[in-house]
Amino acid sequence: MAVEEVRETEATEAIEAAEGTVETGTTAEIAAEIVEASAEASAQAAAAVAAQTLYSIAPGYTLNVRSGPGTQYRLIRTLAPGSKVPIFCQRPGETISGPYGTTKIWDNIEVGEYVSDAYVRTGSDGYVASRCA
């Protein structure tokens, strides 16, 4: 089998595994399909980020952002009063009392960044997002 045929077969198998319904074609055609599928996935991801709900932190408070769900975790940064945060997932941790009650729920606002839900106006005393894995 020629090198070009091997590359074409490998590319076709990779696309079929990812999408399930790709026709065999030249390497250029397959590459174009990969680029198109990648662009569509990027657009969907951007739309999901744009649609992310932002929650206000308690007025008048500067909020500590920590590396895990508790005050024993490293302080990463602080959020200024009036800041808004996304909640990607939530996990139980140290119990904290704040303006929105007493809770053990911690909100994941970025990769490796957590804030106590006691300082985030979610409108709920419970979980508003899925639990972090």
Side-chain angles (χ1 to χ4, degrees):
M1 188 178 282
V3 173
E4 185 67 25
E5 291 174 320
V6 170
R7 287 186 186 146
E8 183 178 321
T9 300
E10 290 173 351
T12 301
E13 289 172 358
I15 293 171
E16 287 174 343
E19 295 183 353
T21 59
V22 175
E23 298 293 323
T24 303
T26 67
T27 302
E29 290 169 334
I30 293 168
E33 288 184 34
I34 291 171
V35 169
E36 183 179 329
S38 178
E40 184 177 326
S42 294
Q44 289 173 349
V49 169
Q52 177 72 46
T53 300
L54 296 177
Y55 299 91
S56 297
I57 66 168
Y61 287 88
T62 298
L63 186 56
N64 289 332
V65 179
R66 300 208 172 258
S67 63
T71 57
Q72 74 274 22
Y73 289 90
R74 182 174 58 87
L75 178 64
I76 296 176
R77 61 186 170 117
T78 58
L79 298 175
S83 294
K84 294 185 176 198
V85 295
I87 298 177
F88 295 107
C89 62
Q90 296 175 299
R91 67 184 305 170
E94 179 182 352
T95 299
I96 300 291
S97 292
Y100 297 121
T102 299
T103 183
K104 66 179 183 176
I105 298 173
W106 286 72
D107 305 328
N108 175 238
I109 63 168
E110 287 289 337
V111 174
E113 295 188 359
Y114 294 86
V115 296
S116 171
D117 196 63
Y119 290 86
V120 180
R121 185 173 184 202
T122 62
S124 173
D125 289 335
Y127 288 87
V128 297
S130 61
R131 290 217 183 182
C132 301

